[in-house]
Amino acid sequence: MTSKAQAGTALWAKMPKANAELFALTYGSLVTELVRDYEDPIEVNAQLDRIGHSIGVRCVDEFLSKADVAGMGLSTQCNNLRDTAEVVAKVGFKMFLGVTAEVGGFSQDQRSFS
């Protein structure tokens, strides 16, 4: 296991866990309410995108604060987008979801990946 994966595992162990069934029901209720409020699928998707963005920002903030506390030294590990993507894939995904991800498919200019 790489040091990034080990750090992700350590952070995963410290994170409070949510019941998956409760999460699914809550999310389903949110989507149902948005459909009732907006009726237009395009507007519902726009609202879900806005909510997802806000959640993502909070996850990044939480990740950075927890990783800093864990002494990962992210400022020295993330010198470019490739390094940052690798840390997010190995540590961030593990921290919140309990899984790691593979990063690849970088564009020629190294500004995007899949």
Side-chain angles (χ1 to χ4, degrees), residues 61-99:
D61 185 50
E62 181 79 6
F63 166 66
L64 291 173
S65 68
K66 297 286 187 196
D68 188 46
V69 169
M72 288 188 57
L74 291 179
S75 60
T76 59
Q77 289 186 10
C78 299
N79 297 317
N80 55 43
L81 181 62
R82 185 179 292 273
D83 294 343
T84 303
E86 191 71 22
V87 169
V88 169
K90 301 292 185 229
V91 182
F93 273 66
K94 185 70 173 183
M95 178 180 166
F96 289 109
L97 302 173
V99 299

Short mmCIF file of all heavy atoms in Angstrom, two decimals, residues 61-99:
data_model
loop_
_atom_site.label_atom_id
_atom_site.label_comp_id
_atom_site.label_asym_id
_atom_site.label_seq_id
_atom_site.Cartn_x
_atom_site.Cartn_y
_atom_site.Cartn_z
N ASP A 61 -12.75 21.31 1.70
CA ASP A 61 -12.33 21.99 2.92
C ASP A 61 -12.06 20.99 4.04
O ASP A 61 -11.03 21.07 4.73
CB ASP A 61 -13.41 22.99 3.33
CG ASP A 61 -13.00 23.83 4.52
OD1 ASP A 61 -11.88 24.38 4.49
OD2 ASP A 61 -13.80 23.94 5.48
N GLU A 62 -12.96 20.04 4.21
CA GLU A 62 -12.78 19.00 5.23
C GLU A 62 -11.54 18.16 4.95
O GLU A 62 -10.75 17.87 5.84
CB GLU A 62 -14.03 18.11 5.27
CG GLU A 62 -13.98 17.00 6.30
CD GLU A 62 -14.29 17.48 7.70
OE1 GLU A 62 -14.65 18.65 7.88
OE2 GLU A 62 -14.17 16.67 8.63
N PHE A 63 -11.37 17.78 3.69
CA PHE A 63 -10.21 16.98 3.29
C PHE A 63 -8.92 17.72 3.62
O PHE A 63 -8.00 17.17 4.22
CB PHE A 63 -10.28 16.65 1.80
CG PHE A 63 -9.01 16.14 1.23
CD1 PHE A 63 -8.48 14.93 1.61
CD2 PHE A 63 -8.32 16.89 0.28
CE1 PHE A 63 -7.30 14.45 1.08
CE2 PHE A 63 -7.14 16.42 -0.26
CZ PHE A 63 -6.63 15.20 0.14
N LEU A 64 -8.84 19.00 3.22
CA LEU A 64 -7.62 19.76 3.46
C LEU A 64 -7.34 19.94 4.94
O LEU A 64 -6.19 19.84 5.38
CB LEU A 64 -7.69 21.11 2.75
CG LEU A 64 -7.66 21.04 1.23
CD1 LEU A 64 -7.90 22.43 0.63
CD2 LEU A 64 -6.36 20.45 0.72
N SER A 65 -8.37 20.19 5.72
CA SER A 65 -8.14 20.37 7.16
C SER A 65 -7.73 19.07 7.83
O SER A 65 -6.82 19.05 8.64
CB SER A 65 -9.36 20.97 7.84
OG SER A 65 -10.43 20.07 7.84
N LYS A 66 -8.38 17.96 7.47
CA LYS A 66 -8.03 16.66 8.08
C LYS A 66 -6.67 16.18 7.62
O LYS A 66 -5.90 15.64 8.40
CB LYS A 66 -9.08 15.60 7.74
CG LYS A 66 -10.44 15.89 8.26
CD LYS A 66 -10.55 15.66 9.74
CE LYS A 66 -12.01 15.80 10.11
NZ LYS A 66 -12.25 15.98 11.49
N ALA A 67 -6.36 16.36 6.33
CA ALA A 67 -5.07 15.92 5.82
C ALA A 67 -3.94 16.73 6.44
O ALA A 67 -2.87 16.21 6.73
CB ALA A 67 -5.05 16.02 4.30
N ASP A 68 -4.18 18.01 6.65
CA ASP A 68 -3.17 18.86 7.28
C ASP A 68 -2.92 18.40 8.71
O ASP A 68 -1.79 18.32 9.15
CB ASP A 68 -3.62 20.32 7.24
CG ASP A 68 -2.52 21.26 7.71
OD1 ASP A 68 -1.37 21.08 7.27
OD2 ASP A 68 -2.82 22.16 8.51
N VAL A 69 -4.00 18.08 9.43
CA VAL A 69 -3.87 17.59 10.79
C VAL A 69 -3.13 16.26 10.82
O VAL A 69 -2.35 15.98 11.72
CB VAL A 69 -5.27 17.45 11.45
CG1 VAL A 69 -5.20 16.70 12.76
CG2 VAL A 69 -5.89 18.81 11.66
N ALA A 70 -3.33 15.43 9.78
CA ALA A 70 -2.66 14.13 9.71
C ALA A 70 -1.19 14.28 9.34
O ALA A 70 -0.47 13.30 9.27
CB ALA A 70 -3.37 13.23 8.70
N GLY A 71 -0.75 15.52 9.08
CA GLY A 71 0.66 15.77 8.78
C GLY A 71 1.08 15.29 7.41
O GLY A 71 2.23 14.88 7.22
N MET A 72 0.18 15.34 6.44
CA MET A 72 0.51 14.85 5.10
C MET A 72 1.41 15.80 4.33
O MET A 72 2.02 15.41 3.36
CB MET A 72 -0.76 14.60 4.30
CG MET A 72 -1.52 13.40 4.75
SD MET A 72 -2.87 13.07 3.61
CE MET A 72 -1.99 12.90 2.08
N GLY A 73 1.48 17.05 4.72
CA GLY A 73 2.30 18.01 3.99
C GLY A 73 1.86 18.17 2.55
O GLY A 73 2.66 18.02 1.63
N LEU A 74 0.59 18.44 2.34
CA LEU A 74 0.05 18.52 0.99
C LEU A 74 0.74 19.59 0.15
O LEU A 74 0.85 19.46 -1.06
CB LEU A 74 -1.45 18.78 1.02
CG LEU A 74 -2.30 17.62 1.53
CD1 LEU A 74 -3.76 18.02 1.54
CD2 LEU A 74 -2.10 16.39 0.70
N SER A 75 1.21 20.66 0.79
CA SER A 75 1.85 21.72 0.03
C SER A 75 3.12 21.23 -0.65
O SER A 75 3.50 21.74 -1.71
CB SER A 75 2.16 22.92 0.92
OG SER A 75 3.03 22.53 1.97
N THR A 76 3.77 20.23 -0.10
CA THR A 76 4.97 19.70 -0.74
C THR A 76 4.63 18.56 -1.71
O THR A 76 5.41 18.27 -2.59
CB THR A 76 5.97 19.18 0.31
OG1 THR A 76 5.34 18.16 1.09
CG2 THR A 76 6.45 20.30 1.20
N GLN A 77 3.47 17.93 -1.56
CA GLN A 77 3.09 16.82 -2.42
C GLN A 77 2.40 17.27 -3.70
O GLN A 77 2.45 16.58 -4.70
CB GLN A 77 2.15 15.86 -1.69
CG GLN A 77 2.84 15.06 -0.62
CD GLN A 77 1.89 14.03 -0.03
OE1 GLN A 77 0.82 13.80 -0.54
NE2 GLN A 77 2.31 13.42 1.06
N CYS A 78 1.75 18.40 -3.68
CA CYS A 78 0.93 18.84 -4.81
C CYS A 78 1.64 19.97 -5.56
O CYS A 78 1.39 21.15 -5.31
CB CYS A 78 -0.45 19.28 -4.33
SG CYS A 78 -1.37 17.97 -3.53
N ASN A 79 2.50 19.60 -6.47
CA ASN A 79 3.25 20.59 -7.24
C ASN A 79 2.58 20.93 -8.57
O ASN A 79 2.92 21.92 -9.19
CB ASN A 79 4.67 20.09 -7.50
CG ASN A 79 5.43 19.91 -6.21
OD1 ASN A 79 5.35 20.74 -5.33
ND2 ASN A 79 6.15 18.81 -6.09
N ASN A 80 1.66 20.08 -9.02
CA ASN A 80 0.97 20.31 -10.29
C ASN A 80 -0.37 19.57 -10.25
O ASN A 80 -0.70 18.92 -9.26
CB ASN A 80 1.83 19.86 -11.47
CG ASN A 80 2.28 18.41 -11.34
OD1 ASN A 80 1.50 17.54 -10.95
ND2 ASN A 80 3.54 18.14 -11.64
N LEU A 81 -1.14 19.68 -11.32
CA LEU A 81 -2.46 19.06 -11.35
C LEU A 81 -2.38 17.54 -11.22
O LEU A 81 -3.19 16.93 -10.54
CB LEU A 81 -3.21 19.44 -12.63
CG LEU A 81 -4.62 18.86 -12.76
CD1 LEU A 81 -5.53 19.36 -11.63
CD2 LEU A 81 -5.22 19.19 -14.10
N ARG A 82 -1.39 16.94 -11.83
CA ARG A 82 -1.23 15.48 -11.75
C ARG A 82 -1.03 15.04 -10.30
O ARG A 82 -1.66 14.09 -9.83
CB ARG A 82 -0.06 15.02 -12.62
CG ARG A 82 0.09 13.51 -12.68
CD ARG A 82 1.25 13.10 -13.58
NE ARG A 82 0.99 13.39 -14.97
CZ ARG A 82 0.37 12.57 -15.81
NH1 ARG A 82 -0.09 11.41 -15.38
NH2 ARG A 82 0.19 12.91 -17.07
N ASP A 83 -0.16 15.73 -9.57
CA ASP A 83 0.07 15.40 -8.16
C ASP A 83 -1.21 15.59 -7.34
O ASP A 83 -1.55 14.77 -6.49
CB ASP A 83 1.17 16.28 -7.57
CG ASP A 83 2.54 16.03 -8.17
OD1 ASP A 83 2.74 14.98 -8.80
OD2 ASP A 83 3.41 16.91 -7.99
N THR A 84 -1.90 16.70 -7.59
CA THR A 84 -3.13 16.99 -6.86
C THR A 84 -4.19 15.92 -7.13
O THR A 84 -4.84 15.44 -6.21
CB THR A 84 -3.66 18.38 -7.25
OG1 THR A 84 -2.64 19.35 -6.98
CG2 THR A 84 -4.92 18.73 -6.48
N ALA A 85 -4.34 15.54 -8.40
CA ALA A 85 -5.31 14.50 -8.76
C ALA A 85 -4.98 13.18 -8.08
O ALA A 85 -5.87 12.47 -7.60
CB ALA A 85 -5.35 14.32 -10.28
N GLU A 86 -3.72 12.86 -8.00
CA GLU A 86 -3.29 11.61 -7.36
C GLU A 86 -3.62 11.63 -5.86
O GLU A 86 -4.10 10.64 -5.31
CB GLU A 86 -1.78 11.42 -7.57
CG GLU A 86 -1.27 10.07 -7.19
CD GLU A 86 -1.72 8.96 -8.13
OE1 GLU A 86 -2.07 9.24 -9.28
OE2 GLU A 86 -1.72 7.80 -7.69
N VAL A 87 -3.38 12.75 -5.20
CA VAL A 87 -3.70 12.85 -3.77
C VAL A 87 -5.20 12.75 -3.55
O VAL A 87 -5.66 12.04 -2.65
CB VAL A 87 -3.12 14.17 -3.18
CG1 VAL A 87 -3.68 14.42 -1.78
CG2 VAL A 87 -1.61 14.11 -3.13
N VAL A 88 -5.98 13.44 -4.37
CA VAL A 88 -7.43 13.36 -4.23
C VAL A 88 -7.93 11.94 -4.47
O VAL A 88 -8.76 11.42 -3.73
CB VAL A 88 -8.13 14.37 -5.17
CG1 VAL A 88 -9.63 14.12 -5.23
CG2 VAL A 88 -7.84 15.79 -4.73
N ALA A 89 -7.39 11.28 -5.49
CA ALA A 89 -7.83 9.92 -5.83
C ALA A 89 -7.45 8.91 -4.76
O ALA A 89 -8.24 8.02 -4.43
CB ALA A 89 -7.22 9.50 -7.17
N LYS A 90 -6.26 9.03 -4.22
CA LYS A 90 -5.79 8.03 -3.25
C LYS A 90 -6.17 8.36 -1.81
O LYS A 90 -6.42 7.46 -1.02
CB LYS A 90 -4.26 7.91 -3.33
CG LYS A 90 -3.74 7.50 -4.68
CD LYS A 90 -4.12 6.08 -5.00
CE LYS A 90 -3.48 5.65 -6.31
NZ LYS A 90 -4.37 5.05 -7.23
N VAL A 91 -6.21 9.63 -1.47
CA VAL A 91 -6.48 10.01 -0.08
C VAL A 91 -7.92 10.52 0.08
O VAL A 91 -8.65 10.04 0.94
CB VAL A 91 -5.48 11.08 0.41
CG1 VAL A 91 -5.73 11.41 1.87
CG2 VAL A 91 -4.05 10.60 0.21
N GLY A 92 -8.32 11.47 -0.74
CA GLY A 92 -9.65 12.07 -0.60
C GLY A 92 -10.77 11.06 -0.80
O GLY A 92 -11.71 11.00 0.01
N PHE A 93 -10.70 10.29 -1.88
CA PHE A 93 -11.75 9.28 -2.12
C PHE A 93 -11.77 8.25 -0.99
O PHE A 93 -12.84 7.84 -0.54
CB PHE A 93 -11.54 8.59 -3.47
CG PHE A 93 -12.17 9.30 -4.63
CD1 PHE A 93 -11.72 10.55 -5.03
CD2 PHE A 93 -13.22 8.73 -5.31
CE1 PHE A 93 -12.30 11.21 -6.08
CE2 PHE A 93 -13.81 9.38 -6.39
CZ PHE A 93 -13.35 10.63 -6.78
N LYS A 94 -10.60 7.84 -0.54
CA LYS A 94 -10.53 6.85 0.54
C LYS A 94 -11.11 7.44 1.83
O LYS A 94 -11.83 6.77 2.56
CB LYS A 94 -9.08 6.41 0.75
CG LYS A 94 -8.91 5.32 1.76
CD LYS A 94 -9.47 4.02 1.26
CE LYS A 94 -9.13 2.89 2.20
NZ LYS A 94 -9.58 1.61 1.70
N MET A 95 -10.81 8.71 2.07
CA MET A 95 -11.27 9.36 3.29
C MET A 95 -12.79 9.42 3.37
O MET A 95 -13.37 9.15 4.42
CB MET A 95 -10.69 10.77 3.34
CG MET A 95 -11.11 11.60 4.51
SD MET A 95 -10.32 13.21 4.38
CE MET A 95 -11.25 14.13 5.57
N PHE A 96 -13.46 9.76 2.27
CA PHE A 96 -14.91 9.95 2.30
C PHE A 96 -15.70 8.72 1.86
O PHE A 96 -16.80 8.51 2.33
CB PHE A 96 -15.31 11.14 1.42
CG PHE A 96 -14.90 12.45 2.01
CD1 PHE A 96 -13.89 13.19 1.44
CD2 PHE A 96 -15.52 12.94 3.14
CE1 PHE A 96 -13.50 14.40 1.98
CE2 PHE A 96 -15.15 14.16 3.70
CZ PHE A 96 -14.13 14.88 3.12
N LEU A 97 -15.16 7.93 0.95
CA LEU A 97 -15.93 6.82 0.38
C LEU A 97 -15.38 5.44 0.73
O LEU A 97 -16.04 4.44 0.47
CB LEU A 97 -15.99 6.96 -1.15
CG LEU A 97 -16.60 8.27 -1.66
CD1 LEU A 97 -16.45 8.37 -3.17
CD2 LEU A 97 -18.05 8.38 -1.23
N GLY A 98 -14.16 5.40 1.24
CA GLY A 98 -13.57 4.11 1.58
C GLY A 98 -12.98 3.38 0.39
O GLY A 98 -12.66 2.21 0.49
N VAL A 99 -12.83 4.06 -0.74
CA VAL A 99 -12.26 3.46 -1.94
C VAL A 99 -11.19 4.38 -2.51
O VAL A 99 -11.17 5.58 -2.21
CB VAL A 99 -13.33 3.20 -3.03
CG1 VAL A 99 -14.40 2.25 -2.53
CG2 VAL A 99 -13.97 4.51 -3.48
#
